[in-house]
Amino acid sequence: MLSSALREPHVAGAQRLWRAKIDVEGGVAQYLAKVGRPIRYGYVPRAWPLPNYQTVFALDPGSAEMPSAARPFTAELVTRLVSRGVLFAPILLHTGVSSPEAGEPPYGERFRVPATTAALVNWVRDQGGRVIAVGTTAVRALESAANPGGLVTAAAGWTELVLGPDRPARAVDGLITGLHTPEASHLLLLEAVVGPELVQRAYDAAVRREYLWHEFGDVSLLTSR
């Protein structure tokens, strides 16, 4: 049973998302697995099974939308990258519902940066290596745990961080990302990591070559150095 006791929007000014209490056996996860369906954009011709929305890195359920940047990764690809010296560190951010509506800020999202991940990121930076985030969600989580000097410490909770001209990236040197709509706040995040010029060049190329947008679309690697 869904309770209508909580009717206030999650974010001031937002009229699409509402809080609800679920009083069912098994809790929210089992209820959603039974009656829920993944959010998908209108350009996707049909619904896909839930496993198609999971990435090779996914462990803890909780995201409202698919973190699409990691979709090209497979267990085989990760193994090959590790064998070539690429280091991987776990990080968690439960993606909220992305919003292209004018004036609507990004939603707060739950994140967790383990102490081992923070230590590895700091070590890589100390050694002159590059920290590449897989997706805007990973950028937001890692930057939420970084101090003004770029030092990362273990952190967890809800992040309201919005990266952009007033808050550039401090710990991340690049990212693997999908293609986002012009109104999305994700573009400001990309510019905060690699600069507006590179983002513009990448999107010009994507339009020219007819790359695919959003969750099942193409991804690219953008780096600041």
Side-chain angles (χ1 to χ4, degrees):
M1 177 181 295
L2 294 177
S3 171
S4 59
L6 297 177
R7 291 185 174 274
E8 59 278 9
H10 181 64
V11 174
Q15 298 299 320
R16 297 174 301 132
L17 297 182
W18 301 87
R19 293 183 183 273
K21 288 184 177 179
I22 298 179
D23 183 17
V24 293
E25 185 178 355
V28 175
Q30 290 190 25
Y31 180 80
L32 291 178
K34 181 179 179 181
V35 304
R37 61 181 181 181
I39 294 174
R40 64 186 176 97
Y41 290 93
Y43 78 93
V44 179
R46 65 180 179 87
W48 292 89
L50 188 59
N52 288 74
Y53 289 80
Q54 307 301 315
T55 72
V56 70
F57 303 110
L59 290 177
D60 302 323
S63 290
E65 288 192 2
M66 178 179 67
S68 55
R71 272 191 55 80
F73 286 83
T74 63
E76 179 184 5
L77 176 58
V78 172
T79 301
R80 290 173 58 190
L81 291 172
V82 170
S83 68
R84 296 185 180 185
V86 177
L87 303 176
F88 283 85
I91 199 168
L92 173 72
L93 187 138
H94 289 318
T95 59
V97 178
S98 61
S99 175
E101 295 183 4
E104 187 173 318
Y107 295 104
E109 295 170 313
R110 186 175 291 278
F111 80 102
R112 183 174 69 247
V113 177
T116 51
T117 293
L120 181 58
V121 168
N122 294 331
W123 180 82
V124 167
R125 292 179 61 84
D126 287 343
Q127 298 300 310
R130 294 187 297 181
V131 176
I132 307 298
V134 181
T136 56
T137 55
V139 173
R140 194 182 196 194
L142 197 58
E143 290 293 333
S144 296
N147 70 10
L151 182 70
V152 178
T153 56
W158 286 84
T159 178
E160 302 283 347
L161 177 64
V162 178
L163 295 178
D166 297 329
R167 173 47 168 97
R170 297 166 177 169
V172 177
D173 301 302
L175 75 162
I176 295 171
T177 180
L179 295 166
H180 308 284
T181 54
E183 301 88 354
S185 62
H186 300 79
L187 293 182
L188 291 177
L189 184 149
L190 299 186
E191 292 179 358
V193 177
V194 301
E197 181 181 353
L198 180 57
V199 173
Q200 186 64 58
R201 286 168 52 198
Y203 273 73
D204 288 343
V207 171
R208 186 169 60 252
R209 299 179 183 181
E210 299 183 346
Y211 288 170
L212 299 180
W213 252 241
H214 296 310
E215 53 191 353
F216 290 107
D218 295 298
V219 299
S220 57
L221 168 62
L222 305 178
T223 62
S224 59
R225 59 186 178 94

